[in-house]
Amino acid sequence: MDRLSSHQATKEVVQKHNFKFSKSLGQNFLIDTNVIDRILEGARVKEGDYVIEVGPGIGTLTKEMGRSAEKVVAIEIDKTLIPILEETLEDFPNIEVINQDILKVNVQELVKEKLNGGPVKLVANLPYYITTPIVMKFLEEDIPVTDIVVMVQKEVAERICARKGKERSVLTLAVEYFGKAEYLFTIPKEAFTPIPKVDSAFMSIKLYKDDKYKKIIEEDIFFKYVKAAFANKRKNLLNNFTALGISKDELRKILSEAGIKETERAENLTIEDFINLIAVFEKK
């Protein structure tokens, strides 16, 4: 069996090992070869690349990346998948499977010990219930990662990649602080087994090489104001910022100096708007 990316191939592997899908782990395996090919194209895994994959399933995407990458480390929380992966990936000495919870893994150490110190790409079909913690782990923990290319719930991808409007959130700004997000394509729910309730999307985050915003404003200061601005999405900036213990009169002056209406909502501000506004706050 050369490729695993068909319903029949997946079905055979699952039945052979009597594998039971776990709802609690959000397990849905890709069974569409065209989608796999588009993911490989979007991930641009090439010769010499070091890759971390989270949630390899039965190794469908892992195997294809192993054909070109220097090394792939696949992290799988479900121990019942380990013997399956050992079998499906046995012809790939450059793929290593680790049976751990990614949120408990010291990724910096892993990159040093197993991936030549990086840089690395994160490529994954992320379970919906832990998408944000995984993405933020790779953004915040000073891991030498250049690209995050992931399948996520369509709605989450739309939120992360939103340029303006009600889809924008703290998560949108968090991603924009570290890199450039791009919505690549939609993946219909029928491309998975079992079929999930919603469609997915494939998206990328290319991290800034030059710490574009980090060198302008410290992370904790940036997020202090962004979180306050989004505290209640139905409220405007003036009302949300009162939680910082600043009077409305003072806030009106700050917003005016930053060229922002007091009735404006956080979702309509660009990251540059926030940085300018925070600079005014920090002057006071």
Side-chain angles (χ1 to χ4, degrees):
M1 193 190 298
D2 194 37
R3 295 189 76 171
L4 296 165
S5 49
S6 74
H7 197 187
Q8 186 57 34
T10 301
K11 190 177 167 184
E12 283 174 21
V13 171
V14 165
Q15 285 180 347
K16 179 182 175 185
H17 291 267
N18 197 26
F19 175 76
K20 299 286 185 285
F21 289 91
S22 166
K23 269 192 178 179
S24 65
L25 293 176
Q27 286 174 337
N28 304 92
F29 297 165
L30 256 178
I31 52 166
D32 188 316
T33 300
N34 291 330
V35 172
I36 291 285
D37 288 342
R38 289 187 75 189
I39 287 166
L40 290 165
E41 189 184 327
R44 295 193 182 99
V45 174
K46 59 190 185 302
E47 197 177 322
D49 278 355
Y50 292 93
V51 179
I52 294 175
E53 184 186 14
V54 177
I58 61 168
T60 306
L61 180 61
T62 326
K63 190 173 180 176
E64 300 309 317
M65 293 194 294
R67 298 184 198 279
S68 47
E70 181 70 24
K71 183 164 184 187
V72 179
V73 171
I75 299 164
E76 177 54 62
I77 192 171
D78 185 354
K79 66 178 185 294
T80 66
L81 281 168
I82 303 307
I84 299 177
L85 288 161
E86 284 170 359
E87 182 180 294
T88 59
L89 303 173
E90 64 183 350
D91 295 334
F92 292 85
N94 61 330
I95 298 175
E96 183 172 350
V97 179
I98 297 173
N99 180 206
Q100 280 193 49
D101 175 352
I102 183 60
L103 295 178
K104 294 176 181 170
V105 172
N106 183 329
V107 180
Q108 286 173 305
E109 283 302 308
L110 181 143
V111 171
K112 274 184 205 164
E113 290 171 17
K114 299 182 181 294
L115 293 163
N116 200 39
V120 298
K121 289 180 176 179
L122 170 67
V123 183
N125 173 12
L126 294 180
Y128 296 162
Y129 74 105
I130 51 166
T131 295
T132 301
I134 292 174
V135 169
M136 291 314 298
K137 179 182 179 79
F138 276 81
L139 291 176
E140 292 179 326
E141 290 189 4
D142 213 21
I143 296 160
V145 60
T146 57
D147 299 83
I148 294 172
V149 278
V150 287
M151 271 177 285
V152 298
Q153 192 173 336
K154 184 172 183 278
E155 186 185 295
V156 173
E158 286 169 345
R159 209 156 69 229
I160 290 173
C161 301
R163 296 285 171 257
K164 210 160 195 179
K166 63 181 188 303
E167 284 89 8
R168 283 174 71 79
S169 64
V170 174
L171 178 60
T172 317
L173 269 297
V175 170
E176 286 180 347
Y177 180 79
F178 293 101
K180 183 173 175 53
E182 185 181 356
Y183 187 108
L184 297 172
F185 60 89
T186 302
I187 305 170
K189 54 184 182 287
E190 292 79 16
F192 297 88
T193 185
I195 298 174
K197 289 179 179 166
V198 294
D199 291 337
S200 295
F202 189 58
M203 58 160 290
S204 72
I205 303 166
K206 191 145 199 69
L207 277 76
Y208 299 125
K209 287 179 184 171
D210 60 353
D211 288 337
K212 184 175 178 180
Y213 295 118
K214 282 174 89 172
K215 64 188 180 191
I216 299 173
I217 182 166
E218 286 177 31
E219 199 174 320
D220 56 343
I221 293 170
F222 178 76
F223 286 108
K224 169 187 162 185
Y225 291 101
V226 168
K227 284 174 182 174
F230 280 98
N232 186 328
K233 288 196 81 172
R234 286 174 297 186
K235 289 186 177 179
N236 60 35
L237 288 169
L238 181 69
N239 288 320
N240 274 337
F241 280 137
T242 55
L244 295 171
I246 304 169
S247 72
K248 283 195 173 181
D249 284 345
E250 187 62 24
L251 285 170
R252 284 188 182 98
K253 287 179 194 166
I254 290 168
L255 289 164
S256 173
E257 192 177 328
I260 295 167
K261 296 177 189 170
E262 62 183 68
T263 54
E264 191 61 276
R265 293 178 193 273
E267 65 203 32
N268 293 320
L269 266 58
T270 64
I271 188 167
E272 285 80 10
D273 291 334
F274 268 108
I275 286 168
N276 293 337
L277 175 59
I278 293 165
V280 178
F281 266 111
E282 288 292 295
K283 266 194 322 191
K284 300 294 176 186

